[in-house]
Amino acid sequence: MSELNVDRRFGQVINYYLDLAASGAHSPTGEPRTEKYLRTSRGLADSHIPGDVRQERFLGLDLQRLQHLLDEAAVRSEKAAVGLRRFLHDLDTFAAHIGLLPEPRTKELRLPGAWRRERLLDDRALGMAWTALIRCSDAGTLPSRISCLATLVSAATLQPIGSVLDLRRDWLTPVGWTRHDTGHQVYAPALARPWLELALDKGDRAHGEGGTLLVFPSAGKGAQPDLPISLETVHDMCKLALDDVAKPQDLAFTGLQRLRESGAGVFADRIAGPCAGAPDAAHVAILDAWTGQLEELRKSSEAKRWR
């Protein structure tokens, strides 16, 4: 195969595939792909496959890296994640057909269950979930602990779980973090700050001290220090801790909805961001009060457990 050798970059394989798809070459039926398919596929690739990933060797991309692309798309749009998974599978099927791969790698790609629609929790479920997450954060495997710590931080700060998973160590400040890519400043209540420190410790245990730039890195078998723990892993680990009481995204969603129902929708939008500018006194007071409520619910949940 002279046109596409084993050292070709991801972006080159994408372009080669779409060019041939337009002509019908390598199609089982010999029919060219529709204009809509080509346009949609190009849009998905441009929107959800970053330039640095496109420069990587196509054959060097493992399943974990491809799953991360899918997780990132899922944070932004369920529809985009479904489309990207289909496109990546088409691309790998094409690569296997022309002999670049022995078989498609994408058969095991999973659509992240963590982006399923959020559920509003009542006080009982919220207290049970918060209690279970705190227990999980200090017991079990590294993937389990990192997943629960990320979910706790998401719940305490009312930030989307996907945004929390992207958190980098150099973004951290004494009272939260500032995203260097958007300027969004996040206040972390005092209750949440030890969890950030614990996550750094778990990351060091997984990859060696200073071995990762991420606060919540992947951990366990095949872990890569430059990839955050995946949404799918967080979903799976939290399912073990929370059972059917709640999903990882439900806690932050419930907090924001309660703010909106109380007439503080402006603050809910400001907290969830993205919005540059330091959190003001009202913002800080709201999040401190929210974590205080969670702690009261935890104490109530634990008291009922021992009655």
Side-chain angles (χ1 to χ4, degrees):
M1 189 182 59
S2 59
E3 297 162 285
L4 197 66
N5 61 46
V6 295
D7 292 321
R8 291 296 183 182
R9 306 298 173 185
F10 193 13
Q12 292 175 315
V13 177
I14 290 172
N15 292 334
Y16 186 64
Y17 164 66
L18 290 176
D19 286 346
L20 292 181
S23 68
H26 297 301
S27 166
T29 63
E31 294 292 323
R33 290 285 194 170
T34 65
E35 186 62 34
K36 180 180 179 181
Y37 174 87
L38 297 171
R39 184 173 61 253
T40 300
S41 297
R42 177 63 67 187
L44 288 167
D46 290 346
S47 299
H48 301 290
I49 303 177
D52 59 335
V53 179
R54 288 167 178 262
Q55 292 302 313
E56 295 187 33
R57 286 180 63 250
F58 179 71
L59 295 185
L61 293 165
D62 60 13
L63 187 65
Q64 188 174 19
R65 177 73 68 176
L66 295 173
Q67 184 67 57
H68 179 61
L69 291 175
L70 197 60
D71 290 347
E72 289 286 290
V75 172
R76 297 166 61 180
S77 164
E78 175 180 342
K79 184 177 180 181
V82 172
L84 184 63
R85 183 179 184 273
R86 186 183 303 117
F87 172 69
L88 291 174
H89 184 66
D90 288 347
L91 188 65
D92 259 29
T93 301
F94 160 74
H97 180 70
I98 63 175
L100 191 57
L101 289 173
E103 61 180 0
R105 300 162 293 188
T106 48
K107 291 178 181 178
E108 297 180 40
L109 278 181
R110 295 190 293 174
L111 289 172
W115 50 246
R116 75 110 177 99
R117 291 205 176 277
E118 301 92 344
R119 183 174 63 193
L120 192 63
L121 304 177
D122 59 21
D123 283 353
R124 175 181 172 277
L126 197 55
M128 291 175 63
W130 186 249
T131 301
L133 286 167
I134 289 175
R135 289 181 185 145
C136 161
S137 69
D138 196 34
T141 63
L142 280 177
S144 176
R145 294 186 185 196
I146 292 173
S147 296
C148 290
L149 287 167
T151 305
L152 284 167
V153 170
S154 168
T157 60
L158 298 182
Q159 299 300 300
I161 185 67
S163 177
V164 169
L165 296 183
D166 283 339
L167 186 55
R168 296 174 60 89
R169 294 180 176 217
D170 60 345
W171 293 354
L172 294 177
T173 68
V175 293
W177 66 86
T178 300
R179 290 187 65 103
H180 291 182
D181 52 350
T182 65
H184 179 49
Q185 296 187 41
V186 175
Y187 170 70
L191 187 68
R193 294 170 206 165
W195 294 327
L196 290 168
E197 293 295 328
L198 266 176
L200 297 179
D201 176 67
K202 304 310 175 195
D204 286 344
R205 286 182 58 187
H207 301 288
E209 188 171 352
T212 177
L213 300 177
L214 300 168
V215 177
F216 301 103
S218 61
K221 185 178 179 180
Q224 298 183 30
D226 60 337
L227 288 180
I229 197 159
S230 71
L231 275 172
E232 188 66 30
T233 299
V234 172
H235 184 258
D236 288 347
M237 293 298 103
C238 288
K239 184 176 182 180
L240 295 175
L242 303 178
D243 197 15
D244 290 326
V245 173
K247 296 292 190 292
Q249 67 274 29
D250 290 343
L251 287 86
F253 174 76
T254 298
L256 291 170
Q257 286 299 105
R258 291 189 179 195
L259 267 182
R260 293 187 176 100
E261 290 169 3
S262 70
V266 172
F267 286 104
D269 294 339
R270 167 67 181 83
I271 289 169
C275 182
D280 57 26
H283 179 157
V284 169
I286 285 171
L287 285 177
D288 285 342
W290 164 244
T291 52
Q293 291 175 35
L294 290 172
E295 278 297 280
E296 287 301 317
L297 291 172
R298 178 183 65 81
K299 292 174 184 176
S300 176
S301 176
E302 289 186 332
K304 291 176 181 177
R305 181 168 174 256
W306 294 108
R307 283 177 187 170

